[in-house]
Every structure is written in structure tokens, then in C-alpha cells.
Amino acid sequence: MQSLKAVIGMAATLALTTPVLAQEVNVYSSRHYDSDNALYEEFTDKTGISVNRIEADADELIARLTAEGANSPADVFITVDVGRMARAEEAGVLQPFTSDVIKTRVPAHLRHPDDLWFGLSQRTRIIFYAKDRVETPPQTYEELAEPKWQGKVCIRSSSNVYNQSLLASIIDADGVDAAKTWAAGVVGNMARPPQGGDTDQLRGLVSGECDVAVANNYYFLRGFDGDVDGLTSGIEGIGWVWPNQDGRGAHVNLAVAAMIAAAPHPEEATALLEFLTGEFAQTQFARDNHEYPVVDGMAGDEGTARLGAFKPDTTTNTSAFSRNAAEAQAIFNQVGWN
């Protein structure tokens, strides 16, 4: 029989060699969807690791992370757009991390080339149009700048990160000069000064203020889910186009996740990040917010099925959205896109 001294010595050795998980992970998130609660509850049920979440605007969270520095309690940062994550990257609050699970599941073009972040879910930017007023809608983003659409386009402001990422992708695909020409053309075609969110652009089609609008797919699909004021009543009169199907494909943006540079619980953070690419989480993103999974082979929901199949842009690495973000904003400023 082992002596008490030997048992104590063995226990001490195990304590030094076996990592003890803190059983908690701290998340700063700019996703404001109640449906995400189910994700964290499932993760806790599966792992025993509790999730402490702080929600706020992405820029507020980045400012907080910057102020906290090495003393930040945050482990994971989640935001709804690559452009916002680029600001966190520039602030130096992220760290690269390697996960074979994530690399296997998430395609390379939806991951940062230096492993600073990866996509959780995909959102598509679609061209919508009024069926009763438009017989031949634009088939590409570039066509939105053509003179025949003068005074007919509703689109959000240049401060909107969705538009910033769209222009950043055009810079990557067509070059700076072509992107500037495009942005100037869209400004000349606006039916009204930019105002409101994506839903307001769709409302413009229903009200007759514009004939063509640009919005993310899920804003449109929400109009079928319930009574969205100014949209649901006229939604059957709205058609849609998957842009650039004969070229690079439709622009896809991402909800994005990353590990914080000062993460006090990196093992737990990795466990959560890998969980978010699993079947439960990917299905949840699709079912509850009409987003598209980032993992190949996982289906969307009935809402996204309504929109039909499309060719996404897989040639542009989404890191271009952050790399070209400053150039995109400069172009918006130059052409007077408010």
C-alpha cells in the first residue's frame, strides 16, 4: 500500500502537469440576437463551461478592449462584420490561434490568413427590385452605377459597414479606379439621401420611393416571418437578383469570431470557438436568423431556401474587406456618399 506521503506527492505532481479549466469563458459580442442564448446554453450543457457575455456596439467593445489592455477579462470577441473585426485587428487586441477543427470545417476564404479570426455565419448582399416597375433588374453590383438607374436606387449610408465591405470587395475585384467610378455612379443614381437600415431600403420599394434597393438577405426574409411595418404588406411585389452570377459571385459578408490577445481562458475560448462551427451552432444561425452556414454541406433554413440557390463569391478572401476598408471609406468621402 502506498504511503500517505507518496499519495500526497503524486497528487502534487498531477496538479502541476494537468491543466485545470476555469470552467468559464468571457465573450464580448456585438450580436444582439436572443436566439444566440440557445447556443451558449447548449455549450454549457455539453462542456460544463459557463459563458459570461457582454453585449454592446462593436466600436464600444473595441474601445473597451483597448482601454483594458493586458488586464482585459475578455476571451472571445464576436462581431457581425469583417469590417468591424478589422478595427479590432488594427487596435491590436486580437491574437492568432490555431485550431485544426476550425481549419477543417471553415473554408480558407472565410478565415483570416494569419488565423486572427474566422467566419461564424454568412450574410449575402442582394439586389432587390419592384416587380411592377422593373422588367430587367440589374444583374451585377456594377450595373447599379449605370445611368439608366438614375434616381431609382435606395442604399444605406457610407458609414454602414455592410456597404464598406461591399466596396472593399469591389476594390479587390475591379481595382481602386473602377471602385471610385462605381461609387460615384451609385451616388448619382440614389433616389434619396441614404437613410435608415436595410429594412428601410426595402420599404422604399414598397412605398415607391425607389425601384431598386440593396440589402442583406435576412432583412428581406424577416418580412415573411411577421408583420414588419412598411414591408410585409407589400413584400410579394419585391423581386430579387443574386448579383454577379456570371462572374465572381454574390458578395458574402460574415459574422466573425476571434480570440482576445489577453484571453485569460484560452483553452475554454478555443472550446467555444470550435463549438460555434459545429452542427448545432451552424443550424441555429441558419434557423433563427436566416443566415447561411460557413461549414460546407450544412443546409440553410426554409427562409433562405425561398431565395433559391446562388453562387457566392469564393474568389475574394474576406480578409480583403479589412485590408481595403480605409481605401473604401476614402472613396466614399471623395464621391460624396454620405
Side-chain angles (χ1 to χ4, degrees):
M1 181 178 294
Q2 290 179 305
S3 68
L4 179 60
K5 183 177 180 180
V7 172
I8 293 173
M10 184 180 295
T13 300
L14 287 172
L16 290 172
T17 59
T18 305
V20 178
L21 295 185
Q23 297 302 299
E24 69 174 5
V25 60
N26 300 319
V27 176
Y28 285 9
S29 176
S30 66
R31 284 178 63 94
H32 306 300
Y33 308 127
D34 291 339
S35 57
D36 282 5
N37 292 333
L39 294 176
Y40 301 121
E41 291 171 1
E42 178 72 7
F43 174 73
T44 298
D45 288 343
K46 294 292 186 184
T47 65
I49 301 171
S50 61
V51 179
N52 307 312
R53 181 169 39 146
I54 292 177
E55 288 187 354
D57 176 80
D59 289 335
E60 293 176 9
L61 292 173
I62 293 168
R64 177 169 178 162
L65 287 165
T66 303
E68 291 171 342
N71 296 317
S72 178
D75 297 298
V76 171
F77 180 47
I78 296 175
T79 186
V80 296
D81 187 275
V82 173
R84 299 290 187 192
M85 190 60 79
R87 297 174 191 179
E89 182 181 343
E90 292 168 2
V93 299
L94 308 180
Q95 66 166 299
F97 74 100
T98 301
S99 165
D100 291 339
V101 171
I102 292 172
K103 284 189 174 182
T104 298
R105 292 174 176 171
V106 181
H109 72 283
L110 303 179
R111 293 185 272 113
H112 189 279
D114 296 325
D115 297 321
L116 280 176
W117 48 255
F118 66 93
L120 295 176
S121 60
Q122 303 184 78
R123 294 100 170 276
T124 54
R125 205 125 183 88
I126 300 179
I127 296 173
F128 296 93
Y129 64 96
K131 292 178 181 177
D132 63 343
R133 300 190 297 277
V134 178
E135 291 186 5
T136 308
Q139 298 298 303
T140 67
Y141 300 110
E142 287 78 5
E143 287 182 43
L144 292 169
E146 292 183 357
K148 66 180 178 180
W149 301 112
Q150 185 174 6
K152 297 181 179 180
V153 177
C154 279
I155 193 166
R156 288 175 73 163
S157 72
S158 64
S159 63
N160 172 243
V161 73
Y162 301 146
N163 282 341
Q164 292 169 6
S165 293
L166 174 59
L167 183 56
S169 75
I170 292 174
I171 292 172
D172 194 75
D174 302 330
V176 172
D177 290 342
K180 187 182 298 184
T181 299
W182 176 81
V186 173
V187 170
N189 289 344
M190 289 181 181
R192 63 187 185 191
Q195 56 188 263
D198 276 18
T199 303
D200 294 296
Q201 314 318 310
L202 297 169
R203 288 181 176 125
L205 297 176
V206 175
S207 68
E209 290 180 87
C210 50
D211 292 348
V212 176
V214 179
N216 281 359
N217 66 290
Y218 51 91
Y219 289 96
F220 177 64
L221 293 175
R222 288 173 186 169
F224 293 99
D225 292 341
D227 188 11
V228 178
D229 184 45
L231 174 59
T232 300
S233 61
I235 199 166
E236 295 296 342
I238 297 177
W240 63 89
V241 168
W242 289 110
N244 297 71
Q245 295 300 279
D246 292 332
R248 67 182 184 276
H251 173 66
V252 173
N253 214 324
L254 304 172
V256 199
M259 188 182 295
I260 298 303
H265 311 121
E267 293 88 358
E268 294 85 346
T270 298
L272 175 61
L273 293 170
E274 290 178 347
F275 169 81
L276 293 175
T277 65
E279 184 175 0
F280 180 89
Q282 290 293 297
T283 301
Q284 188 83 356
F285 288 135
R287 184 180 64 235
D288 290 330
N289 198 42
H290 302 310
E291 298 171 272
Y292 291 88
V294 295
V295 178
D296 289 339
M298 292 193 184
D301 72 336
E302 293 181 2
T304 53
R306 180 192 294 272
L307 297 175
F310 71 101
K311 171 187 171 184
D313 181 359
T314 60
T315 61
T316 304
N317 190 292
T318 46
S319 63
F321 306 164
S322 56
R323 185 174 63 251
N324 297 332
E327 186 74 59
Q329 189 59 65
I331 288 174
F332 279 138
N333 295 341
Q334 291 169 14
V335 301
W337 188 322
N338 298 323

